[in-house]
Amino acid sequence: MPRYEYRCRTCGDTFELSRPMAESAAPADCPAGHDDTVKLLSTVAVGGSSAAPAPAPRAGGGGGGGCCGGGSCG
């Protein structure tokens, strides 16, 4: 079950709740009993590595790509 992070606007505490995705937008009460809370945007941490690592930059400059493959555009 996903965990969502909230902040209480009354006391400033940040807390998390586990709830179904279908209830992600439902209001959440602060553990201290306040009801003026806001859901925070959270980043997702994904473990493991199924993708290839990004290539290292080449020595000697240019780097490139852009509109013309790294050549001199003018």
Side-chain angles (χ1 to χ4, degrees), residues 67-68 71-74:
C67 64
C68 54
S72 177
C73 292

Side-chain angles (χ1 to χ4, degrees), residues 18-73:
S18 292
R19 51 177 31 178
M21 293 173 97
E23 296 177 17
S24 66
D29 288 341
C30 168
H34 308 119
D35 60 359
D36 187 12
T37 61
V38 62
K39 183 177 157 194
L40 302 176
L41 295 176
S42 301
T43 58
V44 176
V46 178
S49 176
S50 63
R58 293 187 304 184
C67 64
C68 54
S72 177
C73 292

Side-chain angles (χ1 to χ4, degrees), residues 7 9 11 19 26 31 51 72 74:
R7 179 177 298 132
R9 292 181 181 172
C11 66
R19 51 177 31 178
S72 177

